[in-house]
């Protein structure tokens, strides 16, 4: 598998990006403001993530997604580690990520990659999404914020 930066004239893999965030408007905004990286196997895009600069020396990992048929094979972990590596190489001092209170697998993945919880943005998903979201039998209401010093 190869991970490379999406070039400016390439269309971002929207279907894949929408797995991580249902709002196409937000996804396109993240991609235009940040750097989009894609993971390819046999010239096919199987994973994606975006590094979005937020505050000085801080970058946020947003929109990480792995194609459904390729999930649970370790690709997500490789992508998170690659994001940490790239953020470090680019001189950032902190990397952040946010996920839903109901996103049990994602919370496990980020903590296995060294992220620690720093706060909760209560009712974030109630305020920003019109549809109710349920995962693992839990309503997704709050955004759990995680960070890692680089
Ligand atoms: N309890 C404990 N560990 C769990 C877990 C659980 N319930 N669910 C997942 N994990 C662990 C896995 O065991 C694995 O760790 P390990 O390698 O130490 O065993 C790790 O989390 C992730 O596994 P991996 O196979 O690398 O992840 P993936 O390729 O399936 O990708 C996502 C993970 C989240 C990117 C993928 O599921 C996806 O695209 N989801 C839809 C989009 C999305 O939700 N994006 C994130 C938005 S915040």
């Amino acid at each position: 598998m190869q991970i490379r930066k999406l070039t400016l004239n390439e269309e971002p893999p929207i279907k894949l990006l929408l797995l991580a965030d249902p709002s196409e408007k937000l996804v396109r905004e993240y991609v235009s403001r940040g750097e989009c990286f894609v993971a390819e196997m046999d010239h096919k895009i199987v994973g994606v993530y975006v590094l979005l600069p937020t505050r000085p020396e801080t970058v946020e990992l947003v929109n990480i997604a792995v194609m459904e048929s390729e999930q649970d094979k370790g690709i997500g972990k490789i992508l998170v580690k690659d994001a940490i590596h790239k953020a470090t190489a680019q001189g950032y001092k902190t990397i952040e990520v946010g996920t839903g209170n109901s996103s049990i697998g994602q919370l496990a993945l980020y903590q296995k990659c060294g992220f620690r919880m720093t706060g909760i943005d209560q009712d974030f998903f109630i305020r920003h999404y019109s549809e109710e979201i349920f995962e693992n039998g839990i309503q997704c209401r709050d955004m759990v914020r995680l960070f890692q010093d680089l």
Side-chain angles (χ1 to χ4, degrees):
M1 189 174 76
Q2 279 201 321
I3 303 175
R4 65 172 179 88
K5 191 172 159 176
L6 199 73
T7 58
L8 278 176
N9 53 2
E10 274 181 292
E11 176 66 14
I14 283 294
K15 215 176 133 203
L16 197 51
L17 288 158
L18 286 172
L19 286 182
D21 188 327
S23 163
E24 183 165 344
K25 185 170 168 273
L26 273 183
V27 165
R28 289 201 181 270
E29 193 196 309
Y30 290 147
V31 171
S32 69
R33 281 169 48 211
E35 284 183 292
C36 183
F37 294 91
V38 291
E40 288 175 324
M41 277 194 309
D42 300 326
H43 304 291
K44 190 171 180 208
I45 296 177
V46 295
V48 67
Y49 71 83
V50 176
L51 279 182
L52 184 70
T54 50
R55 297 186 300 280
E57 303 193 323
T58 302
V59 72
E60 183 164 346
L61 170 60
V62 292
N63 266 122
I64 181 165
V66 171
M67 202 171 129
E68 273 155 327
S69 60
E70 299 299 326
Q71 288 178 8
D72 301 321
K73 296 180 183 174
I75 296 174
K77 210 169 182 182
I78 292 171
L79 292 182
V80 175
K81 288 186 172 169
D82 189 76
I84 294 166
H85 180 76
K86 290 213 165 60
T88 308
Q90 291 183 15
Y92 289 104
K93 298 284 180 265
T94 307
I95 184 166
E96 296 182 333
V97 70
T99 194
N101 60 282
S102 51
S103 301
I104 306 297
Q106 290 80 342
L107 286 167
L109 166 63
Y110 299 139
Q111 290 178 88
K112 283 179 173 183
C113 292
F115 283 88
R116 300 207 34 206
M117 293 185 191
T118 182
I120 309 285
D121 189 346
Q122 282 210 334
D123 287 326
F124 175 90
F125 292 96
I126 306 286
R127 276 185 273 117
H128 291 96
Y129 293 84
S130 50
E131 308 262 305
E132 284 187 346
I133 305 165
F134 278 85
E135 295 172 294
N136 303 300
I138 306 166
Q139 186 173 2
C140 183
R141 303 171 64 101
D142 308 319
M143 161 90 81
V144 181
R145 303 288 313 165
L146 300 101
F147 83 106
Q148 176 166 175
D149 286 331
L150 300 173

